[in-house]
Every structure is written in structure tokens, then in C-alpha cells.
Amino acid sequence: MKIWELRYDGINHYSVLVPDEKGINILSILGVDGKPKQWAVRPKIKPFIEKRKKRAKPRADLSYLIAGSITLNEKAYQALKEFLLPFGQLLELDCQGEIEYFYNVTKLIDCVDDEHSAKEFDVVSREVFLPNSIPEDIPLIFKDPHTVGTRIYMNQAGKEKFEQIASAAGLFGARFVEAGQGLI
């Protein structure tokens, strides 16, 4: 059983996203706890600009906003929405007048062996998965309650389907790391 973690790829090459309003705690608004969300007003975000630079780095189709999530531009949304929606929500964000989509994974599967997983400061840093806890024959995107705030997982079939769709659409900004390999 192979489990993969979906991560943002390109922090050195592409712009990450940040709140567009001062004093806003984006974690309290978005919160990646595996529970469905809704908001009356789209949260405002923008590309991060380094203080030494005059403009932001180029944007990827899939962007980082907070740990345990990924944000999709319109191109990524159109390509991936049918695959992603059975496992979570795509919630609208306002990125300087353009709509982006925050992917909130709501499919929870208790599959991390808390007793045998490595921990740092009481937080799982290297997962050990419970045997036979994840179906292998159907594509699956999910979170585990032990790592819900920091990780999005896919089984092998899910990873292959995601990569197939992303490749066909020419999307960039995501990568996969085999889960259980520790933090990289």
C-alpha cells in the first residue's frame, strides 16, 4: 500500500498566496480541519511580494496558501473539479478580482498508526500507516485525523489519476512525496 502526500511544488520559483487584508488570520477563516466550510464573503488573497522585489514571482496553476491545502486557479479548477469534488469542497477566494479556489478536503480516514508514527513535539512527523486501511483499487483523496492540519493524502490510484489530468491540462504547481518518508 503506497500513500502519497500532495504538496505545493515551486516555492522557490512561483508565488505563494497570502491574505490581502491586514490583521486577517487566514487560518481561522480557512482552517484545514477536514470539516465542511462556507463563508458569506470570499476571503481576499494576493500573491506574496518579497520586500526586496517590486513584483511577485510568476503564478503556478496550483498554489500554496496554508499548510494542508492547495489553491487552484481557473484553469486547474476546470481540469480537476470533477476528480476533486467527491473528496472535498472547492471554495471561492478573491485574488485581486479573480476567482481562485481553495480545496478543502473533507474525506477523513483514520489510517495513521499514532502509536508507531514518529513525532516531534507531539505532532506526527513521519507516518506509519495501519495495514489495509486504504482501498487501493479506487482513486482516493483524503486526510487523516492525526495530520489533518498539515497534509493531503492520495492512494496510488488517486495519484495516477491526478497526474494524468494535470499532465493533459498542462498544469503545474503540485508534486507528490511518498508519505511516511518524513518531512522534506
Side-chain angles (χ1 to χ4, degrees):
M1 171 176 76
K2 269 197 177 176
I3 306 295
W4 298 91
E5 183 184 342
L6 174 64
R7 292 193 183 168
Y8 174 64
D9 183 32
I11 202 151
N12 294 322
H13 306 289
Y14 303 107
S15 182
V16 298
L17 299 170
V18 295
D20 195 16
E21 300 173 38
K22 292 184 180 185
I24 296 295
N25 180 349
I26 202 81
L27 282 175
S28 68
I29 295 170
L30 302 179
V32 287
D33 56 7
K35 296 177 183 167
K37 313 236 172 293
Q38 66 181 42
W39 40 72
V41 178
R42 288 184 199 123
K44 293 184 179 216
I45 58 172
K46 65 182 179 183
F48 174 73
I49 301 174
E50 295 178 49
K51 291 185 187 219
R52 303 181 317 265
K53 308 281 180 172
K54 292 183 181 177
R55 37 179 227 206
K57 293 176 184 174
R59 294 286 313 281
D61 298 309
L62 299 132
S63 298
Y64 176 85
L65 178 59
I66 59 173
S69 75
I70 200 147
T71 301
L72 294 77
N73 67 10
E74 183 66 26
K75 178 182 173 184
Y77 171 78
Q78 291 301 327
L80 290 165
K81 68 182 175 183
E82 288 182 33
F83 174 59
L84 299 177
L85 282 173
F87 312 106
Q89 301 171 287
L90 287 160
L91 302 164
E92 292 182 357
L93 300 166
D94 179 343
C95 186
Q96 300 179 313
E98 300 288 324
I99 295 176
E100 299 262 336
Y101 299 87
F102 173 77
Y103 186 46
N104 179 37
V105 177
T106 57
K107 175 77 173 170
L108 290 175
I109 300 174
D110 193 356
C111 59
V112 171
D113 184 338
D114 189 52
E115 184 179 328
H116 294 101
S117 294
K119 295 182 183 177
E120 292 180 29
F121 305 106
D122 218 22
V123 175
V124 173
S125 59
R126 187 174 309 217
E127 310 92 327
V128 172
F129 291 96
L130 297 166
N132 304 314
S133 58
I134 304 299
E136 295 184 50
D137 55 337
I138 57 167
L140 198 60
I141 302 170
F142 60 96
K143 288 184 169 249
D144 178 275
H146 297 96
T147 59
V148 70
T150 57
R151 297 182 181 103
I152 297 174
Y153 298 115
M154 289 188 198
N155 63 1
Q156 183 69 32
K159 174 187 179 277
E160 289 170 4
K161 177 113 178 169
F162 185 99
E163 288 176 327
Q164 175 189 24
I165 295 167
S167 177
L171 303 179
F172 59 97
R175 70 181 170 110
F176 290 93
V177 174
E178 189 173 351
Q181 302 302 306
L183 300 176
I184 297 173

